[in-house]
Amino acid sequence: MDIYLMRHGETDWNKSRRLQGQSDIPLNKYGVELAEKTAAALRDVPFDMAFSSPLHRACETIRIVIGSRRIPLYVDERLKEIGFGEFEGACFDRAKEDPQNPLHDFFRRPNQYIPPAGAESFDQVRSRGFEFFREKILPLEGSCRNVLIVAHGAFNRTMINSIAGIPPEEFWRIGLPNCAVSILSLEQGSLSVREESRIYYADPVNERP
């Protein structure tokens, strides 16, 4: 079974380099265009089922990609982006530059990141992500061939890195632009990364923070 793990299209907060986390920001015009280009590239993939984060930017993206396909679409809270608490909406360039900023290690030393109060850790995201996979995705093997999931940059990286064995200090190794599609394979209950971070438009946007 192939699992198409996709990041949502661009938002205004992506473009202005602001931390989105679980803030519910919609796609901007270019984000819709990227989703439409990706949908065109994936139009011949016979998806059997689809899952989305409940945040609008993911829901908008997945509906564009599904198009006229009559397949089940489920929304799951566990697919939300990592939460940043009161720091959502902040400019992340300042956090990267200021060693005293509580989110500095998130960008510069992810293996040492300790989330501030109200924010999530990578382990918490990993835990809910794999809980989702165990409960919703693994049981589909044998009955589905292609499954679509639309979620978020840090969430998708957390899952891909864990499956591929990429260490925490290299969290940002893989670039995941908006609408990047990574293909995971599920065989006999085991997940692997078959293809990482493919885009279907010319110039990648918001590849890394």
Side-chain angles (χ1 to χ4, degrees), residues 173-192:
R173 180 202 295 184
I174 299 172
L176 283 179
N178 289 117
C179 284
V181 178
S182 299
I183 303 177
L184 312 178
S185 290
L186 175 61
E187 185 173 0
Q188 297 183 347
S190 179
L191 289 162
S192 61

Side-chain angles (χ1 to χ4, degrees), residues 50-70:
F51 297 86
S52 176
S53 157
L55 299 177
H56 277 84
R57 56 192 185 271
C59 290
E60 289 180 84
T61 301
I62 203 166
R63 289 193 176 99
I64 292 170
V65 175
I66 290 174
S68 61
R69 295 177 181 88
R70 294 187 175 182

Side-chain angles (χ1 to χ4, degrees), residues 133-145:
F133 268 75
R134 286 191 300 269
E135 182 182 316
K136 298 296 185 180
I137 301 301
L138 269 59
L140 298 177
E141 186 178 10
S143 62
C144 292
R145 296 187 62 186

Side-chain angles (χ1 to χ4, degrees), residues 55-105:
L55 299 177
H56 277 84
R57 56 192 185 271
C59 290
E60 289 180 84
T61 301
I62 203 166
R63 289 193 176 99
I64 292 170
V65 175
I66 290 174
S68 61
R69 295 177 181 88
R70 294 187 175 182
I71 61 172
L73 168 59
Y74 300 98
V75 172
D76 198 294
E77 292 283 329
R78 292 168 292 188
L79 296 174
K80 278 184 176 181
E81 180 60 300
I82 189 171
F84 295 107
E86 65 182 68
F87 291 92
E88 295 191 359
C91 174
F92 53 67
D93 286 325
R94 295 174 186 169
K96 291 172 67 176
E97 295 163 5
D98 179 9
Q100 303 305 313
N101 189 293
L103 294 178
H104 182 75
D105 285 346

Side-chain angles (χ1 to χ4, degrees), residues 2-208:
D2 284 338
I3 302 153
Y4 289 70
L5 181 61
M6 180 178 174
R7 186 185 177 197
H8 61 81
E10 188 186 65
T11 71
D12 285 344
W13 279 24
N14 287 144
K15 190 173 182 178
S16 59
R17 299 177 63 78
R18 296 172 66 187
L19 286 163
Q20 286 187 117
Q22 297 178 2
S23 297
D24 207 0
I25 312 302
L27 299 181
N28 60 22
K29 183 178 179 180
Y30 190 50
V32 171
E33 181 181 330
L34 297 183
E36 290 173 343
K37 288 182 177 179
T38 305
L42 299 178
R43 64 183 176 274
D44 294 328
V45 178
F47 291 119
D48 301 295
M49 196 172 294
F51 297 86
S52 176
S53 157
L55 299 177
H56 277 84
R57 56 192 185 271
C59 290
E60 289 180 84
T61 301
I62 203 166
R63 289 193 176 99
I64 292 170
V65 175
I66 290 174
S68 61
R69 295 177 181 88
R70 294 187 175 182
I71 61 172
L73 168 59
Y74 300 98
V75 172
D76 198 294
E77 292 283 329
R78 292 168 292 188
L79 296 174
K80 278 184 176 181
E81 180 60 300
I82 189 171
F84 295 107
E86 65 182 68
F87 291 92
E88 295 191 359
C91 174
F92 53 67
D93 286 325
R94 295 174 186 169
K96 291 172 67 176
E97 295 163 5
D98 179 9
Q100 303 305 313
N101 189 293
L103 294 178
H104 182 75
D105 285 346
F106 176 81
F107 299 106
R108 297 299 192 186
R109 293 185 294 268
N111 57 315
Q112 300 179 37
Y113 175 58
I114 299 174
E120 278 189 298
S121 68
F122 291 121
D123 283 344
Q124 288 173 307
V125 175
R126 185 180 299 109
S127 176
R128 62 176 164 86
F130 276 109
E131 180 186 77
F132 164 80
F133 268 75
R134 286 191 300 269
E135 182 182 316
K136 298 296 185 180
I137 301 301
L138 269 59
L140 298 177
E141 186 178 10
S143 62
C144 292
R145 296 187 62 186
N146 298 285
V147 174
L148 174 64
I149 301 173
V150 175
H152 306 270
F155 177 91
N156 289 7
R157 274 191 188 86
T158 300
M159 301 306 298
I160 294 167
N161 289 353
S162 298
I163 294 166
I166 296 173
E169 61 268 23
E170 297 180 32
F171 182 81
W172 301 107
R173 180 202 295 184
I174 299 172
L176 283 179
N178 289 117
C179 284
V181 178
S182 299
I183 303 177
L184 312 178
S185 290
L186 175 61
E187 185 173 0
Q188 297 183 347
S190 179
L191 289 162
S192 61
V193 180
R194 183 157 70 80
E195 183 175 354
E196 62 184 43
S197 193
R198 183 174 181 180
I199 58 171
Y200 299 92
Y201 57 93
D203 299 313
V205 292
N206 306 301
E207 188 170 7
R208 291 181 180 85

